[in-house]
């Protein structure tokens, strides 16, 4: 996981590319946007952390990720250079996965808005409420419901979503990428 001194790192390259596009090409050098790493920054991996090969879940491509995990918490990530699908690349969503997972505004359990305030509810209560609402909508007019597929679903899962919508009584089905 260490970066060779004769290669430009991904972050340095992106900084240089962004800066050069804003002030004109050719006006910056590598020395303008890079610096020597501090001793703290050179501690790789974090103390007592482990590197875990995984797959990005932002879409169905499944790019390779090497997650650095410390005490059960995902603290940093790099692309898996040897991954057969992504071959060491990531899209902008994949490169930001660690921030999305660690976000302070990430929904971690079911919530319900009661009198203008969000309150935590159990999964069982959430499923019961969603089921009751879907049943009421179906009895009134099933065409007012819409079902969404995902870039992460397999062909089989897409088939089940389509069949569920048909049995529910609607043709209103779309893909989340169009929203």
């Amino acid at each position: 996981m260490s970066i060779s001194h004769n290669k430009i790192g991904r972050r340095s390259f992106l900084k240089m590319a962004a800066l050069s596009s804003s002030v004109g090409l050719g006006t910056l050098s590598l020395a303008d946007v890079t610096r020597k790493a501090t001793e703290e920054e050179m501690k790789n991996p974090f103390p007592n952390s482990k590197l875990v090969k995984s797959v990005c879940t932002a879409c169905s491509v499944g790019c390779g990720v090497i997650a650095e995990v410390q005490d059960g918490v995902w603290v940093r990530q790099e692309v898996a250079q040897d991954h057969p699908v992504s071959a060491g690349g990531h899209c902008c969503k994949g490169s930001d996965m660690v921030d999305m997972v660690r976000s302070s505004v990430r929904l971690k359990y079911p919530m319900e808005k009661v009198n203008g305030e969000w309150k935590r509810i159990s999964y069982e209560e959430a499923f019961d409420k969603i089921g009751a609402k879907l049943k009421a909508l179906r009895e009134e007019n099933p065409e007012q419901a819409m079902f969404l597929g995902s870039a992460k679903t397999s062909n089989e899962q897409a088939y089940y979503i389509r069949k569920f919508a048909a049995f529910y009584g609607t043709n209103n089905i779309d893909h989340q990428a169009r929203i």
Side-chain angles (χ1 to χ4, degrees), residues 57-58 67 72-75 77 93-94 96-108:
T57 60
V73 176
W74 187 359
V75 292
Q77 79 179 33
K93 291 184 286 184
D96 192 45
M97 285 302 286
V98 68
D99 294 330
M100 191 167 64
V101 167
R102 297 183 63 192
S103 173
S104 62
V105 296
R106 177 179 167 220
L107 187 63
K108 297 176 186 169

Side-chain angles (χ1 to χ4, degrees), residues 94-158:
S95 62
D96 192 45
M97 285 302 286
V98 68
D99 294 330
M100 191 167 64
V101 167
R102 297 183 63 192
S103 173
S104 62
V105 296
R106 177 179 167 220
L107 187 63
K108 297 176 186 169
Y109 37 78
M111 303 285 286
E112 179 182 28
K113 200 168 198 177
V114 178
N115 298 326
E117 297 288 322
W118 288 102
K119 79 170 200 173
R120 185 176 178 171
I121 61 174
S122 71
Y123 279 97
E124 186 175 325
E125 190 177 359
F127 287 135
D128 289 344
K129 288 180 183 233
I130 292 167
K133 183 68 174 176
L134 280 171
K135 184 178 180 186
L137 289 171
R138 180 178 170 197
E139 289 169 354
E140 184 181 318
N141 176 7
E143 288 294 317
Q144 51 188 332
M146 180 177 186
F147 295 91
L148 295 175
S150 166
K152 193 62 185 162
T153 59
S154 66
N155 285 339
E156 292 78 11
Q157 291 166 324

